[in-house]
Amino acid sequence: MSPTLTYRDSVAVLDLGADENRFSPEFLAAVDAHLDTVLADGATGLITTASGKFYSNGLDLDWLSANGDRTPWYVEQVQGLLARVLTLPVPSVAALPGHAFGAGAMLALAHDQRVMRADRGYFCFPEVDIRVPFTPALAALVRAKLSAEAVTAAVLTGRRFGGLEAHEYGLVDATAAAGTEVETATALLAPLGAKDQGTLGSIKSVFYADAYTALIA
């Protein structure tokens, strides 16, 4: 299942899919195209979610192993998407119905806010255990979004956080009962109303300048 875009009134809901939603080149291109549509339609907010037990399992390791010569290009595409979501000129919430691992957790972090199902799924940065060092750009994104305590608890350990623990450490902003993740995300967006895209985009670009610059370098 490819990413699909629907609307709840003026709020765009981007469903990443029902599988592991790994970042294949096709997946990245589809998400980017949907973001074009969200902005062109004048949506007042964006919610990303998924239909299965994964929000996203991150990098497409099978594609990478078969296309090692294209690794720099691939990393550029992944970091470009994270940079775009980080500075998206509409309010954004990641609604996690299940697991968010590695780059999938990074994508969730790039949103303004995160909601996670309370009773299922893990939020995890496994890099320390799978021997994948952070790029400076990804480290900059994490520092822009998480406290030093959360970095120590999550990034330096590879620990898997359930929804309640993820909320306790500030990895997510709210938890939700099964099947209500999108509704909870919608409730977070509702008080914000419509924002001017130019102004909001400019504010995000200033506040996240270090991370954004590193991601697109």
Side-chain angles (χ1 to χ4, degrees):
M1 176 181 172
S2 300
T4 56
L5 184 65
T6 58
Y7 284 85
R8 289 187 167 218
D9 296 324
S10 61
V11 173
V13 180
L14 178 57
D15 189 321
L16 300 180
D19 201 352
E20 292 188 13
N21 306 326
R22 288 184 178 270
F23 291 4
S24 68
E26 295 77 15
F27 176 92
L28 295 170
V31 171
D32 197 51
H34 283 312
L35 294 181
D36 288 340
T37 301
V38 168
L39 299 184
D41 288 348
T44 59
L46 170 70
I47 297 169
T48 64
T49 190
S51 301
K53 66 179 183 179
F54 287 91
Y55 174 74
S56 173
N57 214 10
L59 301 182
D60 189 337
L61 300 180
D62 289 340
W63 187 92
L64 270 174
S65 66
N67 298 273
D69 59 323
R70 300 185 67 190
T71 296
W73 173 86
Y74 179 74
V75 171
E76 181 180 337
Q77 302 308 302
V78 171
Q79 292 187 172
L81 177 62
L82 297 177
R84 186 174 192 191
V85 174
L86 180 66
T87 57
L88 198 72
V90 297
S92 63
V93 183
L96 283 57
H99 305 306
F101 276 79
M106 294 286 183
L107 177 60
L109 270 192
H111 291 66
D112 299 338
Q113 298 183 82
R114 287 152 296 286
V115 173
M116 186 173 177
R117 177 171 167 171
D119 66 339
R120 188 184 76 179
Y122 292 113
F123 194 104
C124 177
F125 298 108
E127 285 79 2
V128 69
D129 289 325
I130 61 175
R131 301 182 181 182
V132 177
F134 274 73
T135 66
L138 295 181
L141 172 59
V142 171
R143 286 196 301 270
K145 290 290 186 168
L146 297 181
S147 68
E149 178 186 17
V151 169
T152 299
V155 177
L156 303 186
T157 67
R159 177 178 168 186
R160 298 182 176 193
F161 290 81
L164 297 178
E165 285 185 316
H167 186 227
E168 177 185 349
Y169 278 89
L171 302 175
V172 301
D173 300 275
T175 58
T180 69
E181 300 87 6
V182 172
E183 286 76 8
T184 303
T186 302
L188 291 176
L189 289 174
L192 304 181
K195 305 297 184 188
D196 176 73
Q197 288 190 11
T199 303
L200 182 58
S202 176
I203 290 172
K204 289 185 182 183
S205 295
V206 170
F207 273 87
Y208 300 131
D210 289 346
Y212 178 80
T213 301
L215 287 166
I216 64 170

